Each structure stands twice: as C-alpha cells, then as structure tokens.
Amino acid sequence: ATAEIWKRFGLYLFVLPAVMIFQYRKGDLLEILRWPLVVRAVFYILCYFLVIFYGVEGGKAFIYFQF
C-alpha cells in the first residue's frame, strides 16, 4: 500500500516541477499557452488522466454545516 502511495505521489510531483522549470527557463509563465494546439491537447489530456487514474479513490461525504 505504501509503494502505491509513493507511486501516485511521484507522478504528481513530476508534472508540476517539470512545468515550473520549463516556465522558469523560458522566463514566461504563459509559455504553455503558446504551444501548438496538438501539443497542448496532449499535455492537458495527460494531466486529466493522471487525476482520473491516480486520484483519490473513495472518501467521505462533506458536511457544509453542522447544527
């Protein structure tokens, strides 16, 4: 179970720093928006599937107010 948690955590920790380093090296936070449409679409789909397949499984109901 612990190995699975680190695997999921590692996948998320790879994408965000990679994007941040890319933006830092280019000196532009909006550089990703200037990518060709196909490249951007692949990147967005990759991020989507990371969340869908490696996201939280289960959970509890969230109670907004307690009386």
Side-chain angles (χ1 to χ4, degrees):
T2 305
E4 182 66 24
I5 291 170
W6 281 109
K7 178 182 167 187
R8 291 178 180 201
F9 194 60
L11 285 171
Y12 287 118
L13 282 182
F14 172 75
V15 174
L16 182 60
V19 169
M20 291 176 67
I21 289 170
F22 177 77
Q23 290 172 334
Y24 175 76
R25 287 187 178 175
K26 290 285 187 172
D28 186 6
L29 294 176
L30 301 176
E31 181 63 30
I32 291 176
L33 299 177
R34 292 183 183 86
W35 288 354
L37 181 61
V38 174
V39 176
R40 252 185 311 161
V42 169
F43 176 73
Y44 294 148
I45 290 170
L46 172 70
C47 290
Y48 173 79
F49 280 110
L50 279 175
V51 170
I52 294 299
F53 289 121
Y54 296 106
V56 175
E57 296 174 356
K60 297 182 200 177
F62 183 76
I63 300 174
Y64 290 95
F65 300 102
Q66 288 183 329
F67 296 100

